[in-house]
């Protein structure tokens, strides 16, 4: 970590220089990674999102068969949904960015009127496309050519006088369905988070470097599964992303290991990895309930729980720092 470096800082163009770039420290590496990972072709930037969706539908051979597709806000737009509905016989649903063209601006804005409390919602309709804004913890914006203005309910933990209780909150059916069927959305990001290596560092170029390494690893895994030379054979399952990740790690280590070998009689009782291996705190970026607080409240060992964006990246658990982080990695029965 000390010696990972991607540019010569002494030659960095300064602000005002025509060659100045905020990404100078890692720009050459990013260019190399971009060249290695497919996807974008020359001149493909304008309308890229629409082309990606249509290309996927064409390659899947589902044009004109009445399928429903779900996507995230990078791809979603009223123009795309109208085109898919009219020319592909394909309905769609997805979260949408409020700055997209042709959206109803009276509700697709930061603070729409009549959407102030949890469960509030507003609908609009234009031709085949319905739009909704719904208040959960924050506003959720969707458009759909699948749904009407039907409303269901979802369960949420609501705090009252320091006590959390499950309550039913009105929710548009299109949002409930999106939550149910979005499993294929952001599949690459989903896989990358399963076995991610993010070494703790304050240097942003190194964080980008390790993120790109994870992206390359996932791309390599997909190519491995598609390779005719690595098919599992009759009656056998394809290799998993976990096994592939272990194989990559073993190949990179190439026999070089450190540390001492523990001698003596092995314990008959297995010990959790969280109590034995080396763990470092880090930031997940998004807040969630602290695992220790949540389990203790669940088992009536404490009254309140807290949300945090920090935790153990190796264990994949949100944990309050430093108390709950220490307890989680040192106490066997912490709850």
């Amino acid at each position: 970590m000390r010696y990972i470096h991607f540019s010569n800082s002494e030659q960095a163009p300064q602000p005002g220089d025509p060659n100045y770039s905020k990404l100078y420290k890692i720009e050459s590496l990013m260019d190399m990674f971009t060249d290695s990972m497919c996807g974008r072709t020359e001149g493909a930037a304008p309308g890229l999102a629409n082309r990606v969706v249509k290309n996927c539908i064409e390659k899947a051979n589902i044009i004109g068969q009445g399928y429903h597709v779900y996507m995230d806000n990078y791809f979603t737009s009223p123009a795309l949904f109208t085109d898919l509905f009219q020319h592909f016989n394909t309905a769609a649903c997805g979260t949408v960015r409020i700055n997209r063209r042709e959206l109803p601006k009276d509700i697709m804005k930061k603070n729409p009127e009549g959407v102030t409390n949890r469960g509030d919602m507003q609908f609009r309709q234009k031709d085949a496309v319905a739009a909704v804004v719904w208040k959960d913890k924050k506003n959720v914006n969707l458009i759909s050519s699948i749904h009407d203005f039907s409303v269901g309910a979802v369960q949420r933990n609501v705090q009252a006088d320091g006590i959390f209780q499950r309550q039913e909150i009105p929710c548009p059916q299109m949002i409930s369905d999106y939550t149910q069927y979005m499993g294929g959305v952001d599949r690459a990001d989903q896989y990358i988070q399963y076995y991610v290596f993010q070494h703790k560092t304050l240097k942003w170029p190194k964080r980008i470097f390790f993120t790109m390494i994870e992206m390359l690893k996932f791309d390599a895994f997909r190519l491995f599964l598609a390779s005719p030379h690595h098919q599992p054979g009759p009656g056998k399952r394809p290799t998993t992303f976990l096994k592939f990740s272990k194989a990559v790690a073993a190949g990179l280590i190439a026999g070089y290991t450190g540390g001492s070998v523990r001698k003596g009689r092995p314990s008959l009782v297995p010990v959790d990895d969280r109590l034995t291996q080396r763990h470092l705190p880090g930031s997940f970026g998004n807040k969630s309930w602290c695992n220790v607080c949540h389990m203790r409240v669940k088992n009536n060992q404490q009254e309140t729980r807290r949300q945090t964006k920090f935790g153990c990246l190796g264990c994949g658990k949100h944990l309050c720092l430093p108390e709950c982080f220490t307890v989680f990695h040192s106490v066997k029965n912490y709850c």
Side-chain angles (χ1 to χ4, degrees):
M1 289 293 292
R2 182 182 302 174
Y3 298 107
I4 293 180
H5 208 65
F6 311 107
S7 62
N8 187 343
S9 298
E10 295 180 355
Q11 298 178 1
Q14 299 302 309
D17 190 303
N19 297 318
Y20 173 74
S21 172
K22 292 182 178 179
L23 297 176
Y24 171 80
K25 291 185 176 181
I26 201 170
E27 196 164 32
S28 59
L29 188 71
M30 290 179 64
D31 291 341
M32 182 182 69
F33 276 60
T34 302
D35 291 341
S36 299
M37 293 187 283
C38 38
R40 180 172 296 185
T41 58
E42 287 295 326
L48 174 65
N50 287 14
R51 279 197 292 275
V52 168
V53 173
K54 292 177 182 177
N55 184 60
C56 287
I57 293 175
E58 291 170 353
K59 292 294 179 64
N61 195 29
I62 61 172
I63 295 178
Q65 299 184 39
Y67 274 85
H68 294 170
V69 295
Y70 290 80
M71 62 196 76
D72 68 6
N73 60 32
Y74 177 78
F75 301 98
T76 302
S77 70
L80 173 62
F81 280 22
T82 300
D83 193 12
L84 293 178
F85 189 84
Q86 293 178 349
H87 302 111
F88 284 65
N89 191 25
T90 300
C93 176
T95 52
V96 65
R97 300 176 182 179
I98 60 176
N99 60 352
R100 295 292 193 195
R101 295 180 180 178
E102 302 181 23
L103 288 175
K105 297 303 180 183
D106 61 324
I107 66 169
M108 294 294 181
K109 58 183 181 180
K110 188 173 182 180
N111 296 306
E113 185 177 350
V115 184
T116 55
N117 299 317
R118 204 169 195 175
D120 289 346
M121 64 191 79
Q122 291 284 349
F123 291 93
R124 296 292 185 270
Q125 179 88 31
K126 182 179 179 181
D127 300 325
V129 180
V132 67
V133 56
W134 173 65
K135 181 75 171 183
D136 194 13
K137 280 189 175 180
K138 58 182 180 180
N139 288 352
V140 182
N141 303 279
L142 273 88
I143 62 174
S144 174
S145 57
I146 303 172
H147 302 87
D148 53 20
F149 295 174
S150 299
V151 176
V154 293
Q155 296 282 333
R156 290 290 187 269
N157 281 328
V158 179
Q159 186 178 17
D161 300 327
I163 300 175
F164 284 91
Q165 295 180 340
R166 297 289 284 179
Q167 292 185 8
E168 280 198 350
I169 304 295
C171 177
Q173 189 61 44
M174 67 174 75
I175 293 182
S176 298
D177 287 350
Y178 175 80
T179 303
Q180 178 180 356
Y181 296 118
M182 67 175 290
V185 177
D186 288 338
R187 182 59 60 86
D189 289 342
Q190 177 184 345
Y191 266 81
I192 286 172
Q193 293 303 316
Y194 285 155
Y195 316 112
V196 66
F197 169 79
Q198 272 290 9
H199 201 293
K200 184 181 179 182
T201 176
L202 297 178
K203 303 293 185 179
W204 64 265
K206 295 179 182 179
R207 294 185 64 85
I208 294 178
F209 168 71
F210 287 121
T211 298
M212 290 192 291
I213 287 289
E214 296 295 338
M215 293 171 64
L216 281 175
K217 185 179 72 173
F218 178 72
D219 281 0
F221 172 65
R222 299 299 302 174
L223 291 172
F224 181 88
L225 294 182
S227 168
H229 303 292
H230 299 98
Q231 297 305 307
K236 295 184 178 180
R237 292 185 174 183
T239 190
T240 64
F241 190 45
L242 175 58
K243 290 182 179 179
F244 184 84
S245 299
K246 287 183 176 179
V248 170
L252 292 174
I253 294 171
Y256 292 95
T257 59
S260 59
V261 179
R262 182 180 177 183
K263 297 181 180 180
R265 185 177 180 181
S267 172
L268 299 179
V269 180
V271 181
D272 291 343
D273 291 342
R274 65 182 175 87
L275 301 175
T276 58
Q277 297 183 355
R278 183 169 178 259
H279 300 270
L280 294 173
S283 173
F284 288 92
N286 63 303
K287 284 190 174 182
S288 186
W289 295 116
C290 167
N291 181 266
V292 172
C293 291
H294 174 76
M295 295 304 297
R296 286 182 166 178
V297 170
K298 185 178 180 180
N299 293 326
N300 299 319
Q301 293 189 12
Q302 67 184 49
E303 294 182 357
T304 61
R305 56 180 180 171
R306 292 173 289 180
Q307 286 193 335
T308 176
K309 66 178 181 180
F310 301 104
C312 179
L313 299 178
C315 297
K317 300 290 187 182
H318 284 75
L319 298 164
C320 301
L321 297 180
E323 297 87 355
C324 293
F325 184 93
T326 302
V327 169
F328 183 77
H329 293 109
S330 59
V331 179
K332 184 175 182 180
N333 299 315
Y334 61 88
C335 59

